[in-house]
Amino acid sequence: MEQHPATPSSADQPIQVQVHSAPRFWPIVLAGAVLGALVGVVIGLIGEPSMDYTVGSAVGFFAMFCAGLGTGLGALAYVIIDRVTSRKTTQKLAVPLAGDTGSELQG
């Protein structure tokens, strides 16, 4: 979760922070790549056999090509999901700890 203080304050007083729950990037992109590779394997297996290429090389080609497309679509899905969830930012009241100077919240 990201936290952004609205205004700096002393350590004794609570501050308002914006809380945004963002999705994780790599699991979404890797899921797109794996699904794309699986689609490529299916395309390579159900396609018409060729005299120039073996079935294994055709499956490998389509798996790699579709994995690249799936990676791009996974990244696009991440951007869309992140935009939708960023609209659901909420304001919370945070109370700093006694030893907390608040300097790490300023970044």
Side-chain angles (χ1 to χ4, degrees):
M1 285 192 249
E2 292 182 32
Q3 298 179 355
H4 302 286
T7 58
S9 63
S10 68
D12 295 336
Q13 295 186 1
I15 56 173
Q16 286 280 3
V17 293
Q18 293 180 355
V19 179
H20 165 67
S21 179
R24 296 186 61 179
F25 177 74
W26 289 112
I28 295 174
V29 171
L30 289 176
V34 168
L35 287 175
L38 290 175
V39 168
V41 167
V42 170
I43 290 172
L45 289 175
I46 64 171
E48 189 142 335
S50 171
M51 297 299 288
D52 297 331
Y53 304 104
T54 65
V55 173
S57 64
V59 166
F61 171 77
F62 283 115
M64 293 303 293
F65 181 75
C66 291
L69 288 177
T71 301
L73 290 175
L76 180 65
Y78 170 80
V79 169
I80 292 170
I81 292 169
D82 186 47
R83 293 287 178 175
V84 169
T85 59
S86 69
R87 294 182 187 151
K88 298 179 183 174
T89 301
T90 58
Q91 295 283 334
K92 298 287 182 178
L93 190 62
V95 180
L97 298 174
D100 189 16
T101 61
S103 62
E104 58 272 355
L105 292 177
Q106 300 299 322

